[in-house]
Amino acid sequence: EEDFTLNVEQIASNLVGFGGPDWSNNPKDLGAAVKYGNLVDRHQKRGSPVVPGSIKLVKEDAESTLFSVTILKSQYEPGYYEGDEFIAGTKVDFEEEFVKACREKRFIVRQFEYDPNQASNSAMAMEQLQVEVDGMRSGLTRWCKTHFGEAFVAWMHIKVIRVFVESVLRYGLPVDFTAVLFKAMKNKDDELTAALDKAFGDTSEQEKDEDLEGDEYHDFVLLKFDP
């Protein structure tokens, strides 16, 4: 904020443009007649539109660097008379040429005008959104705590129904099987499955089925449940 504010103040108070002759370099010519209008070739001298000392480092990270820079928007070349005909002046746009030159150097340029009111409004809007988010999070947390039990019971019912249906499809009727719920220790799921295969299945037949189908197959119905 200080950088942008200082830049604006410096441009407004310290930079002054004038179109008359400069006698400070040649004081001997003080008061002498000078050339104006079409007698002066104003295209001979060109300088950078960047305001000296206005380049400031804003932010830098591992991938990119952001600078702020202040430039003159344009230059007006005054008109002149050719005989009795007045030739209107032209306006030279510096912004377009500056953006083009930066793109040739693979720099990305974005126009920016600092508005302290907009900055404060953005901060207030961010605080308001944060309050709304916190309120929504509190409401959602209460709702989840209230309905989690019902959702969990419904999920367990679906698992039980699936175990029953797949067992009937595999073993047929009449119903003659046992459903068991195992609670495996952390990171011990594979070991538990291997132990069940060893106890209730044929390892050789299981390997053949896996090679043919490419899917996990067991001689028993296995449904994993991870709440």
Side-chain angles (χ1 to χ4, degrees):
E1 178 179 352
E2 295 178 357
D3 291 339
F4 295 122
T5 305
L6 288 176
N7 283 341
V8 173
E9 290 179 353
Q10 289 172 2
I11 293 175
S13 59
N14 296 335
L15 295 181
V16 179
F18 58 94
D22 183 8
W23 287 296
S24 60
N25 294 328
N26 299 304
K28 293 186 297 182
D29 296 333
L30 181 63
V34 294
K35 296 180 180 180
Y36 290 97
N38 61 338
L39 300 178
V40 179
D41 186 0
R42 300 179 181 272
H43 298 275
Q44 290 182 353
K45 295 183 180 181
R46 289 289 184 182
S48 172
V50 177
V51 177
S54 65
I55 300 178
K56 302 291 184 181
L57 176 62
V58 178
K59 189 175 182 59
E60 184 178 11
D61 55 24
E63 298 181 355
S64 60
T65 305
L66 178 64
F67 288 93
S68 66
V69 58
T70 304
I71 68 171
L72 302 177
K73 291 184 177 180
S74 60
Q75 172 183 331
Y76 179 75
E77 296 182 349
Y80 57 90
Y81 279 95
E82 287 187 357
D84 295 334
E85 182 181 0
F86 177 76
I87 306 299
T90 58
K91 182 179 181 181
V92 180
D93 187 4
F94 288 149
E95 289 185 286
E96 183 178 353
E97 295 296 329
F98 178 76
V99 172
K100 181 179 178 181
C102 289
R103 288 178 178 174
E104 291 178 354
K105 299 294 184 179
R106 302 185 66 181
F107 294 139
I108 301 176
V109 180
R110 294 290 185 269
Q111 290 185 346
F112 177 78
E113 294 183 2
Y114 178 73
D115 185 358
N117 295 328
Q118 183 64 29
S120 60
N121 293 337
S122 299
M124 294 177 60
M126 183 63 68
E127 293 179 358
Q128 182 178 359
L129 290 176
Q130 187 62 42
V131 172
E132 294 179 359
V133 169
D134 293 340
M136 292 180 180
R137 182 183 291 109
S138 300
L140 180 60
T141 301
R142 290 193 300 269
W143 187 90
C144 290
K145 290 181 178 180
T146 302
H147 296 85
F148 177 78
E150 298 178 3
F152 188 84
V153 171
W155 190 17
M156 287 295 297
H157 284 173
I158 293 175
K159 287 290 185 179
V160 172
I161 293 173
R162 183 178 173 186
V163 168
F164 181 84
V165 172
E166 292 191 9
S167 298
V168 171
L169 292 176
R170 176 172 297 189
Y171 305 119
L173 295 173
V175 175
D176 186 13
F177 58 85
T178 302
V180 181
L181 176 64
F182 288 96
K183 181 179 180 181
M185 301 297 293
K186 186 176 182 180
N187 299 327
K188 299 293 184 179
D189 296 351
D190 295 337
E191 295 182 9
L192 176 60
T193 303
L196 293 174
D197 286 330
K198 185 177 180 180
F200 301 106
D202 187 349
T203 305
S204 60
E205 292 296 331
Q206 179 183 349
E207 292 178 352
K208 293 180 181 179
D209 293 336
E210 289 181 356
D211 293 338
L212 293 175
E213 300 179 5
D215 297 329
E216 183 179 359
Y217 177 83
H218 305 279
D219 289 333
F220 48 88
V221 177
L222 176 64
L223 294 180
K224 294 183 179 180
F225 181 69
D226 188 10

